[in-house]
Amino acid sequence: MPGAEGGMEALRSAGPANSPTVTDAQFAVLEEELGKGPSGHGFDDERWTLARVQTVIRRHLRLSLSVATVWRLLKRHGWSWQAPARRALERDEHAVELWKKEVWPRVKASRRPTGPGSSSRTSPDSP
């Protein structure tokens, strides 16, 4: 049989053809760029989002990765999502408590009543 010299090993998948890999050297460049912070790349605030990291990868590594691939790449290299360590300085606790006591009960009460019902015109309950 022609072409059979590689056997079963030759048939093994090498992975998706369209999924570019990031080398260790490229990831080192990415980490250096991320170290400059989001504002160092022209973003308005200091939050790294997957979409922003994706943009930095596209600009500096010239690779087009999906957001899911960016997440897997960061996770594989020990990066994780971060939650703020403290609340925003601008937060007005008095206003928040007032809203919870006065506004939220009205908003919650204005929801449509729940209960049995049917929107079908063929329902046996229809007149």
Side-chain angles (χ1 to χ4, degrees):
M1 175 184 250
E5 56 274 352
M8 292 302 287
E9 191 60 34
L11 297 176
R12 189 174 311 276
S13 173
N18 62 351
S19 180
T21 58
V22 176
T23 65
D24 289 340
Q26 288 173 315
F27 193 79
V29 170
L30 175 61
E31 281 190 307
E32 186 177 324
E33 291 301 321
L34 294 178
K36 295 176 183 177
S39 60
H41 291 278
F43 298 112
D44 294 337
D45 57 34
E46 289 300 311
R47 289 181 307 118
W48 277 119
T49 64
L50 291 174
R52 289 178 177 186
V53 174
Q54 180 186 41
T55 299
V56 171
I57 290 171
R58 191 177 316 112
R59 287 178 186 162
H60 294 277
L61 302 181
R62 304 281 189 246
L63 292 173
S64 181
L65 304 179
S66 71
V67 170
T69 301
V70 170
W71 167 242
R72 285 191 298 272
L73 173 69
L74 293 174
K75 188 175 177 186
R76 184 171 53 246
H77 284 86
W79 289 63
S80 64
W81 67 275
Q82 300 294 309
R86 57 183 172 75
R87 292 189 178 192
L89 293 174
E90 301 84 9
R91 184 176 166 118
D92 183 346
E93 292 297 333
H94 177 70
V96 171
E97 288 305 316
L98 189 65
W99 187 89
K100 285 180 183 177
K101 288 178 183 172
E102 296 184 11
V103 178
W104 176 241
R106 289 195 313 261
V107 171
K108 191 174 176 182
S110 69
R111 291 176 36 185
R112 290 177 49 191
T114 58
S118 174
S119 60
S120 171
R121 291 181 177 257
T122 59
S123 172
D125 298 340
S126 297

